[in-house]
Amino acid sequence: MLRSVRTLVPCLALAFGLPSLSHAYSACVGTAAELHTALSQASASTDVTATIKVREGTYEADGGNAFYLTQAHSGQTVSISGGWSAACATQRPGAESGTVLVGSTSVAALQLATGFGTSGNTINATDLTLRNDQGILNDAVGACLHVVLNSGSTVKVYRARLDGCVGSSAAIFDNSSGDLTFANSVVQGGFNAGAPVRSLNNNAVTRLAHLTITGNFATSTGQEASGLFVFAPASPGSQVTLDNSVVWGDIAPAGTPDIATDGPGIIFTRAHYETRSNVNALVTDNMPSHGNPGFVTPTNPRLRDNSPLVDSGVVLSIGGGTDADGHVRTQGGVVDVGAYETDPDRILADGFDR
């Protein structure tokens, strides 16, 4: 049952002679129809904040229940998170929190837009697994995740797992004069005609951090990259950073780079990949940058304790303080590269990291 609450704090403020405050929309959802309704209500709401808590379970999107948020008013913050218990009282954080959104041939698993003609909006999406094994037919839309930002807006996607996304790309970020962060997330096991992750920037700020992009299969010989493509034209300029991330082990025709970039203002720091094709991208402080990253298995991209990526990252102020599994970052002396932070105590307990 959809549990929706609008906090009427202005009335309380008036009664007690306090300064007027704003409404806050909140919802606890447990079915696809309820999630669709909550996203629609948050889109239309004039409340300054809207919170949608999604309980553990699988939610299948279709033409009737599209998981699509587009903000219609300025100055609004909408937060969507998964892993919640039946009453939304407790949360199990992480990309594998137990909340799975599934796309279809007609819609992505999750679509987020800050709204044209608005300003000062923020969207936070965390602790979700996104899938689309049916294959979206619209090549202009990310099969699992599609994000559109406009001027003055902010989107943060943390602790997401994009798994088995079939389509032109698993995720497309279309950032026009906004501020985007995609961090502590995994893109794995997709079948894509284009790059699994496409970052399209126009006078934008985009931060890609602590990502693991691996095990995706190319379905076209013309794929620009097997893992990540970043487009940031010179005019108007953008600032795009790729930090503490690994793009490795994707399957594509010979000669296809793991990463392709086009445009200035793109900076890599501690990015691990095998082959790169770039125009005007700046690579700094990038050791180790090549070779086997030391995953536990090809399908489990957590790091072995002897991986060269353990304790090889740089300190970042973005992405939050936890990895894709919800574990605290920096278990050793230095933060790890990739979506997962290795905890030696977890490894020694049973021989495996998880």
Side-chain angles (χ1 to χ4, degrees), residues 184-224:
N184 293 307
S185 296
V186 183
V187 182
Q188 182 180 15
F191 292 82
N192 310 116
V197 177
R198 293 176 59 85
S199 173
L200 309 176
N201 302 275
N202 178 26
N203 192 32
V205 175
T206 293
R207 303 174 180 91
L208 309 172
H210 285 296
L211 302 180
T212 296
I213 304 173
T214 186
N216 298 286
F217 295 81
T219 60
S220 169
T221 57
Q223 190 178 44
E224 66 267 80

Side-chain angles (χ1 to χ4, degrees), residues 75-99:
Q76 183 189 52
T77 296
V78 178
S79 298
I80 307 159
S81 58
W84 290 95
S85 62
C88 289
T90 60
Q91 184 190 26
R92 179 162 65 100
E96 297 180 48
S97 65
T99 299

Side-chain angles (χ1 to χ4, degrees), residues 215-274:
N216 298 286
F217 295 81
T219 60
S220 169
T221 57
Q223 190 178 44
E224 66 267 80
S226 63
L228 171 66
F229 173 68
V230 179
F231 177 68
S235 180
S238 297
Q239 300 174 31
V240 183
T241 55
L242 176 68
D243 300 315
N244 292 350
S245 296
V246 53
V247 184
W248 187 91
D250 298 294
I251 297 90
T256 305
D258 293 321
I259 302 173
T261 62
D262 187 351
I266 303 169
I267 301 175
F268 294 172
T269 303
R270 301 296 171 96
H272 191 91
Y273 52 87
E274 199 60 40

Side-chain angles (χ1 to χ4, degrees), residues 17-43:
L18 300 175
S20 179
L21 300 176
S22 301
H23 292 183
Y25 171 87
S26 65
C28 173
V29 303
T31 69
E34 291 173 359
L35 178 56
H36 170 77
T37 297
L39 290 168
S40 298
Q41 290 177 347
S43 296

